Structure formats: C-alpha cells, structure tokens
Amino acid sequence: MKKIILSISLLVIACSCASKKDNPTKGVAEYMNTITAEELKTLLTVVASDEMEGRETGSEGQKKAGRYLIEQYKNNGIPFPKGATDYYQHIPAAYLNAKHKENLSDSENIWAFIEGSEKPNEIVVVSAHYDHVGVKNGEVYNGADDDGSGTVALVEIAQAFEKAKKEGHGPKRSILILHVTGEEHGLHGSRFYSENPLFPLANTVADVNIDMIGRHDEFHPNSSNYIYLIGSDYLSFDLFNVCEAMNKQYAHLDIDYKYNDRSDPNRFYYRSDHYNFAKNGIPSVFLFTGTHADYHQPGDEVSKIEFDALAKRTQLAFTIAWEIANREKRLVVDKDGK
C-alpha cells in the first residue's frame, strides 16, 4: 500500500511539473492584471516630473530618468540582456548629430531582459522612447504622454513577464525591453539599435512599440476605450491576427485603424521607433492613442493622464507580446511592408 501511495504521489508531482512546462500560457490574465493604474501613476509621477527636466536627449535630466528606470529593474530582479555589460547601450554624440547637427550630447538606450525558456535565441522586442523635448524658455516640457506613458508601460510589462517567469510560466521566447533615446530628433536610438543589434535581427521575431497611450484625442471625445494600431498587417498577417485576438479576449478596446491607412497624411507609421525594425523586415505594431492640444507643449502633464485607460492599453501590449513569445511558431512574414 505504501508503494502504491508513493507511486501515485510521484505521478501527481510529475503531472504538475509537466503541466507547468507544457502550458506556458497559463495565467496570462493573472499576470496581465498585475499591470495597474496605481503602479503606472507612481512610476509616471517620477519619470515625468520637473526633476527630469523634460528628458531632452543626452541631458542630465534624461540620464536621471534612465537611472530611475534601471533602479526599477534592479529592484524587481530583472537583469540586463545576456551579451551586454550593463543596462546601457551607449550612443555617441557623433552618431546622434550626424544627420542634423543639433549639438546633442552622448546618450543611451536602456534595456532589460527576460530570457525565454524554450527558444531563448528568438527575441520579442517591446519598445518605447524615453526622451522628450527638454526645457524651453524656462518651462519644462514633461512629456507625460509623449512618451512617459510608453516608458512606464514597459516597466510594468517587464515586471509582469518576470513574475510569470519566477512562478514557472515564463515566455518561451526572450523578451527584450528597449527604452530608446533620440526619438524626438529622428528615431536615432532605435536606428542605432537596428544598426548595432545586441541580438541578430534575423532572430528578432517582432517589435511591439508603444508611443503616447495615456490620453484621448479629438476623434474620441466621449470615450478613452480605444487604441490605434498601426502597421500590424504591413508585414505579417499573423501579427494582425494576434493583435485582434488578444484584444478580443482580454482588453476589449475599440481598435481604430484610421492611421493604419498608407495614404494617411500624418504618416505615423514612419514616425515612431517600430519603423526601424519594420524597415528591416521585422513584423511590428505601433500602439498609439493620437495627438492632442498638449502634444509637444508644456501642458503634457501627469495630471492629464487617464490612468485606467493607460492600464488597459498597457495590458493589451503585454498580451500581444505574451502571445508572440509563446506561440508554437514565430510570426510568418508574408507581406512586403509596402
């Protein structure tokens, strides 16, 4: 009898371990819900404070914001990527000024990493720029929405993935959290990464890019329960389907494809950091909620951020990255992006 009981116990334990290994997507809603409006507000209150001096590319204020981001990753036990020596990808001033000669100082991309359990060499990038436009005429342009909202979304997404990994449900593929610099001056940080990738671009499965998801625009005056998705179907119908499915199952936002139209005069597809991945044939999606009267103005303040909406949009980005990282096959590139 003891032998039978022992055998049953061992079988239960074995099944339990197999369940954890064979069901990496278990608990996606649980981990998604660790992304909260309260935590996003705590983070953004620091990132978009006057102390950060508008986070101009290469400025001391931006570097201070960068140190704060790194502190969050260290506190949560989230390491820098394998192959890197620290949390920085250093970008020299000569590179930043080569195109427009704007007298920018040296700056840095910041990265963090959640290693995949089964396909660690396949990389899903989740990106957002953490620079803004600095101080003008003595006024601090804090950039709470642009792109403080995306910046803090990345921190929360990283924490959710790390929690899943610690509990045995980590992603199959690796997640590279990439805070890029120099977006406001011409997508410099993401361009630098694409030209100097830590991981081969051939192994980069997708980029989920977040830029301005904290408010609503003039086309949605009565509700913030929406998101613009841009570029999801330009290179991969798989990516389009993932975005649609994750929203339908988890976020329940109204997806607006207004700016996905190739003839749209705003050309937003070419104006945020996903583009430097997409132009290299990497399936990319840009999450966005549009511009507003405070775009690139001193009024882009934390007090105007709609944190419940920011949380839902961040949760959607997380579930998209989660699905891409855990699906059996990598996204198929079946379109030319044109």
Side-chain angles (χ1 to χ4, degrees):
M1 180 63 74
K2 287 182 179 179
K3 288 184 178 179
I4 293 174
I5 293 172
L6 180 60
S7 297
I8 292 173
S9 298
L10 291 172
L11 180 62
V12 169
I13 292 170
C15 289
S16 175
C17 292
S19 176
K20 281 189 175 183
K21 183 177 180 181
D22 296 340
N23 295 285
T25 59
K26 179 182 177 182
V28 59
E30 174 188 348
Y31 299 118
M32 176 190 80
N33 288 327
T34 66
I35 297 169
T36 67
E38 293 75 17
E39 290 184 8
L40 288 162
K41 185 174 183 178
T42 297
L43 292 165
L44 189 57
T45 298
V46 177
V47 168
S49 66
D50 286 352
E51 184 181 355
M52 305 306 175
E53 301 173 342
R55 306 188 307 280
E56 170 66 287
T57 300
S59 68
E60 177 53 33
Q62 189 204 31
K63 293 179 189 298
K64 189 178 293 185
R67 291 192 292 270
Y68 175 74
L69 296 174
I70 291 170
E71 181 183 340
Q72 305 315 302
Y73 293 124
K74 287 181 176 179
N75 288 345
N76 284 279
I78 302 171
F80 53 79
K82 288 191 170 181
T85 57
D86 56 25
Y87 287 92
Y88 293 111
Q89 182 182 35
H90 296 277
I91 306 177
Y95 182 93
L96 296 169
N97 293 303
K99 285 194 170 185
H100 306 299
K101 296 180 173 61
E102 295 179 277
N103 199 32
L104 300 173
S105 300
D106 293 352
S107 191
E108 304 84 21
N109 291 334
I110 292 172
W111 46 31
F113 193 64
I114 296 92
E115 186 173 22
S117 60
E118 295 183 21
K119 302 178 180 183
N121 294 326
E122 293 188 12
I123 310 297
V124 179
V125 177
V126 186
S127 61
H129 73 91
Y130 74 109
D131 63 308
H132 193 49
V133 299
V135 180
K136 299 180 180 181
N137 299 318
E139 284 194 275
V140 180
Y141 286 57
N142 283 315
D145 193 22
D146 183 16
D147 186 27
S149 59
T151 298
V152 299
L154 259 59
V155 177
E156 283 285 278
I157 288 168
Q159 290 176 1
F161 272 115
E162 184 64 19
K163 179 176 173 61
K165 181 175 181 178
K166 287 176 179 174
E167 295 180 359
H169 305 297
K172 289 182 178 180
R173 295 177 177 84
S174 295
I175 306 294
L176 176 65
I177 301 293
L178 187 62
H179 297 272
V180 291
T181 187
E183 190 270 356
E184 299 289 2
H185 294 275
L187 314 184
H188 294 327
S190 55
R191 180 167 53 88
F192 186 86
Y193 180 85
S194 71
E195 294 172 3
N196 302 273
L198 184 62
F199 303 101
L201 293 184
N203 293 353
T204 302
V205 174
D207 175 44
V208 179
N209 184 55
I210 307 170
D211 194 348
M212 295 183 67
I213 60 167
R215 292 175 61 173
H216 66 269
D217 67 4
E218 62 179 318
F219 302 110
H220 302 84
N222 300 316
S223 174
S224 295
N225 193 58
Y226 75 95
I227 190 78
Y228 292 113
L229 293 186
I230 303 174
S232 65
D233 62 343
Y234 278 29
L235 286 160
S236 172
F237 199 62
D238 273 352
L239 178 55
F240 172 83
N241 284 335
V242 165
C243 294
E244 285 280 338
M246 292 301 98
N247 182 62
K248 184 176 181 180
Q249 188 169 357
Y250 297 108
H252 312 297
L253 294 166
D254 296 325
I255 297 180
D256 192 330
Y257 288 106
K258 172 183 174 65
Y259 294 126
N260 196 56
D261 185 342
R262 287 169 172 78
S263 63
D264 179 71
N266 294 284
R267 293 174 58 84
F268 285 123
Y269 177 71
Y270 304 95
R271 290 172 55 185
S272 193
D273 294 294
H274 61 283
Y275 181 66
N276 282 315
F277 292 92
K279 74 180 185 182
N280 284 289
I282 297 167
S284 303
V285 60
F286 172 21
L287 283 76
F288 180 53
T289 52
T291 59
H292 41 70
D294 293 316
Y295 174 62
H296 282 191
Q297 297 298 318
D300 186 4
E301 297 281 2
V302 174
S303 61
K304 297 179 182 178
I305 297 296
E306 300 157 4
F307 284 99
D308 287 341
L310 174 56
K312 287 190 70 173
R313 295 155 178 166
T314 303
Q315 289 172 347
L316 174 60
F318 169 74
T319 61
I320 292 170
W322 178 286
E323 177 63 20
I324 295 168
N326 284 303
R327 69 199 315 263
E328 190 59 35
K329 295 182 179 179
R330 63 183 289 172
L331 298 173
V332 174
V333 177
D334 52 8
K335 298 187 175 183
D336 62 9
K338 298 179 182 177

